[in-house]
Amino acid sequence: MSKPVEDKKYFTDFDSRFIARLGAVIPVRRSETPSETTGISSKYDCKIKVEYQRDLMSLLEEGMLAAVRNFKSGQNNGKRFTLLEISRIGPEHFGLTGLSSHSYYPYQFEIIQQSVEDWATDDKSTMMIQLSTIPLNHDLIVDGNGDAEYVKGFTYPVIGETVRILNKDTIHQMYNKSILERMGLPWEKITTSSDARKDPRLGTVKMFEGEEQKIPIYVDFERLVRYHFGIFAFTGAGKSNLLSNILRRLVYHAEDTKIVIFDVSMEYPFLLQDVLSDPKLPCKIILDTPVHDAEQFYKVVVKPRGFEKNVKAKKAFEDILQQDKVSYFEESKSQITTYEDIFNQLALLKAENDERATSLEALNEIQQAVIDYLKEKKIGDGSPIDEAFVDFLSTKALAAVEKYKIWKSGGLYTWADTRIHLKDKLASTEEDESKEGSTKKSISKMIEGDSKIICLSIADPYTIKSLAIDLTKMTLRNRKREFKVEPQILFVFDEAQEFIPAYDKARGIEKECTFQIETLLRQGRKYGLGGCVATQRIAYLNTNALQQLHTYLVGPLPRPYDRTLVSNTFTIDQGILEKTLEFAPGEWLLSSYTATGMENVPIFIKADNSEKELQKFLEN
């Protein structure tokens, strides 16, 4: 009997080796509500029984997708299949499952010994393979013409029905068709390369890895950047390798995207040296201190373990220096005061005087006067103040504190009495720009200028946090003032625990930094500003900021609390996350609400190796 058309087009049976039925659909009930300490579990655990074939155990892989006809399948709905993702694969031997620890000992050893020989046969009467799967929350619909459509939602599958495995062409179509069409690239035939300049893929899907032709995985770069993404994994999993690989592809394949890297570990000048040394790409590396030659530059930059003794990189660093792409950070001698700064001062004063009714009334009157002034003059919050405003503010502030009889020795009266001295500050607001160093103002101009990459490789935590606060604030303010969304700007925060710690762990400048970056992530997507956070300890991060991320790549997280926080924050099944503990360096769980071809579907991938790009570059 010939197989249906859809079986040949969309499914594979591994040359008639895969014969399976859906054995059970088990509701998963939790006694407690999902939280940061419990995580998310799928509502159903679907058990699949597979006839044993000795080759199947090497062909089946976690992450593969199975399809089972469901109860909506019919003439009006076409052939409709519930999609399931394989989370566990286990062979079962009838003799071993029936073996009791109370049995006669020689009998136990004989059964165990015999099972070793049985595994090498195709004995279906003694052995089978059991698959644990979770619903993908998508249905595959095949119409009368054999065309496929994917519909979001879970439909109860028919228990006892035949189970099919989606073939590599179907997987490629599901994950990549819509992405490649938006890029204007062909998708009908799988063509792929690990070369970052030639192919915008992130890596390959961890399915059918034994076959010569691997399935690439692509993401929509515009949505990846604009809706923010995160990379979470323990030390040694390859976070920096993956991030540099993504940034390299953004440079080559996302023309309208700029990148600003806050690099507290000082490793990205080395990891991206092939990009930074390209004379066609305007870039800037900003260090703690000046460097005078390639030897000094090479010494201050952190190198991956495999390149610690490779001195070929000095030539690339010479090229970068000769192209005048290296600077150092220098604090401005003065700082421009804006109307937004005045509002921030008033907010702090309100917090200090929240129990003094008359003080609050005075502050409200001053604030309303400033608001009316800006409306009358048609001035934005981000504009710098001038002498006319200082006179106005000083007059209004003193009148308010006199009106409400504010205590003259208190902080509020002192603030009002000293506003006139802002004129002294205005006299020195012309910045003494350094000819060599870069100030916050000049870096802000670079961000809005032609630079494709700005890499802030600064090891001092206070300095780089201060830069993160001011640069993100200035960029967001400039975008709001003109409502610009292009070009897109991606702010990258590696070692994100330094920049967006949880509020209960933040102190001093850390609290201001985590608040400002949270603001960027909440408001930035409206103005073409994106964020990337990468960290090894997600539990230390600001969860309000994490919830703004729409795409996430998860590697091994040994601590259970980290995994449950990821599960709860990004609604990933705990069973799927457990699989990441088995990942080798470079293997990731990718899921996205916006940037992948299937919404919020966990995909096991093997990322391309950034170090191979570096090795090839250095050899050439």
Side-chain angles (χ1 to χ4, degrees), residues 32-52:
E32 66 273 7
T33 303
S35 67
E36 289 184 3
T37 56
T38 62
I40 299 294
S41 290
S42 172
K43 290 197 296 184
Y44 298 99
D45 180 15
C46 303
K47 301 293 187 183
I48 296 173
K49 312 286 187 181
V50 187
E51 290 188 7
Y52 183 79

Side-chain angles (χ1 to χ4, degrees), residues 195-210:
D195 191 315
R197 289 178 181 266
K198 296 178 181 177
D199 196 339
R201 78 178 198 185
L202 293 191
T204 56
V205 180
K206 278 184 57 59
M207 291 186 213
F208 307 102
E209 291 189 292

Side-chain angles (χ1 to χ4, degrees), residues 293-308:
D293 52 42
E295 182 72 29
Q296 185 185 3
F297 191 11
Y298 179 80
K299 286 180 179 178
V300 300
V301 170
V302 174
K303 294 162 275 294
R305 185 171 54 187
F307 293 87
E308 288 174 351

Side-chain angles (χ1 to χ4, degrees), residues 18-272:
F18 186 82
I19 302 170
R21 296 274 177 176
L22 180 63
V25 178
I26 305 169
V28 177
R29 294 185 174 88
R30 297 192 67 90
S31 57
E32 66 273 7
T33 303
S35 67
E36 289 184 3
T37 56
T38 62
I40 299 294
S41 290
S42 172
K43 290 197 296 184
Y44 298 99
D45 180 15
C46 303
K47 301 293 187 183
I48 296 173
K49 312 286 187 181
V50 187
E51 290 188 7
Y52 183 79
Q53 294 267 356
R54 62 181 181 276
D55 296 336
L56 267 180
M57 285 302 296
S58 62
L59 297 173
L60 293 173
E61 300 172 45
E62 284 97 343
M64 281 184 169
L65 301 186
V68 185
R69 189 174 64 86
N70 61 43
F71 284 100
K72 287 186 180 179
S73 184
Q75 291 183 351
N76 296 331
N77 293 326
K79 293 185 177 179
R80 188 160 178 151
F81 302 88
T82 298
L83 297 180
L84 309 170
E85 184 162 8
I86 299 175
S87 58
R88 282 288 178 266
I89 302 171
E92 291 188 359
H93 190 288
F94 181 78
L96 293 176
T97 55
L99 190 63
S100 169
S101 59
H102 302 293
S103 301
Y104 184 46
Y105 291 160
Y107 173 69
Q108 290 187 46
F109 281 104
E110 184 178 350
I111 294 294
I112 294 170
Q113 183 178 347
Q114 179 60 43
S115 69
V116 176
E117 298 176 6
D118 291 342
W119 294 124
T121 70
D122 292 329
D123 187 354
K124 299 176 180 59
S125 63
T126 307
M127 296 166 293
M128 74 170 183
I129 300 173
Q130 179 124 286
L131 307 180
S132 290
T133 65
I134 63 170
L136 208 60
N137 294 321
H138 280 80
D139 281 3
L140 165 64
I141 302 175
V142 181
D143 62 22
N145 298 321
D147 295 326
E149 179 188 1
Y150 302 96
V151 179
K152 188 171 176 60
F154 172 75
T155 306
Y156 206 91
V158 177
I159 299 175
E161 183 57 89
T162 300
V163 178
R164 300 163 171 85
I165 296 291
L166 271 59
N167 63 31
K168 63 183 180 184
D169 291 326
T170 306
I171 297 296
H172 174 61
Q173 181 196 53
M174 282 176 59
Y175 292 158
N176 298 322
K177 178 184 175 183
S178 59
I179 306 296
L180 291 173
E181 284 180 341
R182 285 198 288 269
M183 289 182 179
L185 299 174
W187 65 269
E188 291 83 356
K189 186 178 180 181
I190 299 176
T191 56
T192 188
S193 168
S194 61
D195 191 315
R197 289 178 181 266
K198 296 178 181 177
D199 196 339
R201 78 178 198 185
L202 293 191
T204 56
V205 180
K206 278 184 57 59
M207 291 186 213
F208 307 102
E209 291 189 292
E211 300 190 20
E212 291 183 9
Q213 196 175 41
K214 296 183 178 180
I215 308 168
I217 184 69
Y218 298 91
V219 295
D220 185 315
F221 288 131
E222 190 270 336
R223 296 181 181 182
L224 179 76
V225 171
R226 189 163 184 171
Y227 292 93
H228 321 309
F229 65 101
I231 300 174
F232 312 112
F234 198 58
T235 303
K239 292 188 303 298
S240 300
N241 189 306
L242 173 65
L243 182 51
S244 60
N245 204 35
I246 293 173
L247 298 181
R248 187 176 282 108
R249 280 159 171 77
L250 282 171
V251 169
Y252 294 141
H253 302 284
E255 294 182 2
D256 293 330
T257 299
K258 298 181 178 184
I259 300 166
V260 182
I261 308 171
F262 293 92
D263 177 24
V264 71
S265 54
M266 299 187 68
E267 56 187 342
Y268 286 91
F270 194 97
L271 293 173
L272 294 172

Side-chain angles (χ1 to χ4, degrees), residues 518-531:
E518 179 191 327
T519 303
L520 172 76
L521 295 176
R522 279 193 287 105
Q523 301 179 9
R525 68 173 63 96
K526 301 174 186 175
Y527 306 99
L529 304 178

Side-chain angles (χ1 to χ4, degrees), residues 524-541:
R525 68 173 63 96
K526 301 174 186 175
Y527 306 99
L529 304 178
C532 165
V533 299
T535 184
Q536 62 183 349
R537 192 69 205 276
I538 190 173
Y540 291 154
L541 266 57

